[in-house]
Amino acid sequence: FMNTNSKILLVILILLLFSSLYSNEIKPGISLLKSAVLPGWGEVSAGNKIGYVFMASEVLLWSSKFYFIQEAKLKDKQSFNYAIKHAGIDPSSNYDDDFFYHLSRYDSYGYSTGGYNLFIVEQAESLYPDSVEQQNEYIQDNAYNESHFWEWEDNDVQYDYSIMRKRILEYNDYSQALTGAIIANHLVSAITSLISSNKRKRRSEFGIFPDSKMNINIIYSYKF
C-alpha cells in the first residue's frame, strides 16, 4: 500500500501528465513542477535537450544510492556473522549500535585487560575519585552483563571486524551525501526548466497558412 506522500506524488504526476497532453502552451510554472518531480522533464517539454542530462544524473544518483545501501546491509550481515564466529556474541540477541561500536574497540566485554567493563571502571574512578557510591552507580549504569558477552579470539580478527564496521559507516555516509545530490539535482533542474520555458515562451513565431478561401495568411508574432 502507498503511504500519504506517495499518493500525493502520484496525483501531481497525473495532473502534470494531463496538462502536457492537452495543452501545447509552454507554462513556466508547470515546467518547474515537472522538473521538481522528475529532473529533466520540464526542460525536455520546453525543447531543451539538457533535460536528458538531468534525467541521466537522476538515474545514476539513485542507482549509486541503492548500491551503497545494499553494500551497507551486506557488510552489516557479514560483520554480525563474523562476530558470532570469532567473538562468541549471541546470535539471537538484539544489539544496538553502541554495542557494535564497543565490540569493534575492545577485546572483550569483561573486566580483564582490554575489556570494555574495565574501561568503565577506570572512567568511574576518574569521574568520581572521592565517591565509591557514585563509582558503583556509574559502573552499574554503563557496564555490560553476560547478556552482552563477547571475547575476540585475537587482535587480528578484531581488527578485521573493525574494518567491516568502518565500511558500513562509510557506505551510510555516501548514501546520505547522494541524498543531498539528488535534492540538488531536482532544485537545479527546476530552475533550469523555468529559465528554458520562459525563453521558449518569448521566442518569435512565424508561419504561412492558407484560409478556407485559399488566401495566403502570413502570421508573425513575438512574445515578450
Side-chain angles (χ1 to χ4, degrees):
F1 295 96
M2 293 189 297
N3 57 31
T4 302
N5 291 335
S6 298
K7 291 178 180 178
I8 293 173
L9 180 60
L10 181 60
V11 171
I12 293 173
L13 285 170
I14 292 173
L15 290 175
L16 290 174
L17 179 60
F18 275 97
S19 175
S20 299
L21 291 175
Y22 294 101
S23 176
N24 292 322
E25 183 183 355
I26 301 297
K27 297 181 179 180
I30 296 297
S31 295
L32 184 147
L33 285 175
K34 285 180 178 179
S35 287
V37 173
L38 176 62
W41 186 9
E43 289 91 334
V44 172
S45 298
N48 190 343
K49 293 183 178 180
I50 197 174
Y52 295 112
V53 175
F54 286 108
M55 289 180 178
S57 297
E58 188 75 358
V59 172
L60 179 61
L61 289 169
W62 274 108
S63 298
S64 299
K65 181 177 175 65
F66 179 76
Y67 168 79
F68 287 121
I69 290 174
Q70 293 303 113
E71 284 297 304
K73 289 180 179 179
L74 179 62
K75 284 294 181 185
D76 187 55
K77 185 176 181 179
Q78 288 178 345
S79 65
F80 186 73
N81 291 333
Y82 192 84
I84 293 172
K85 181 177 180 181
H86 297 288
I89 67 171
D90 185 356
S92 62
S93 294
N94 292 320
Y95 302 111
D96 58 20
D97 290 337
D98 287 339
F99 173 79
F100 291 119
Y101 173 73
H102 297 146
L103 183 62
S104 69
R105 295 197 58 180
Y106 297 93
D107 297 343
S108 70
Y109 87 106
Y111 296 92
S112 58
T113 302
Y116 173 76
N117 285 347
L118 178 61
F119 164 75
I120 293 299
V121 171
E122 292 172 346
Q123 196 172 45
E125 292 173 348
S126 175
L127 291 171
Y128 309 105
D130 301 322
S131 175
V132 175
E133 182 179 351
Q134 286 181 301
Q135 290 179 21
N136 291 334
E137 184 179 348
Y138 183 84
I139 293 169
Q140 185 177 0
D141 290 341
N142 294 279
Y144 285 129
N145 57 31
E146 290 79 7
S147 66
H148 285 69
F149 170 89
W150 84 84
E151 185 172 0
W152 289 105
E153 295 173 356
D154 54 53
N155 291 334
D156 289 337
V157 292
Q158 182 188 0
Y159 176 76
D160 290 341
Y161 175 81
S162 67
I163 293 299
M164 292 181 190
R165 298 303 303 182
K166 183 179 179 181
R167 292 289 178 268
I168 294 170
L169 294 176
E170 288 176 348
Y171 292 146
N172 287 333
D173 287 343
Y174 295 153
S175 177
Q176 290 179 2
L178 285 166
T179 298
I182 289 169
I183 293 172
N185 194 45
H186 282 249
L187 291 174
V188 174
S189 179
I191 294 170
T192 304
S193 68
L194 182 62
I195 295 171
S196 297
S197 57
N198 275 324
K199 287 181 178 179
R200 178 75 180 272
K201 207 175 178 186
R202 291 195 299 265
R203 194 171 297 169
S204 61
E205 296 178 356
F206 178 82
I208 301 176
F209 306 98
D211 60 17
S212 58
K213 297 181 180 180
M214 298 307 294
N215 295 315
I216 301 300
N217 298 308
I218 301 176
I219 297 176
Y220 176 80
S221 65
Y222 188 90
K223 296 181 180 179
F224 293 91

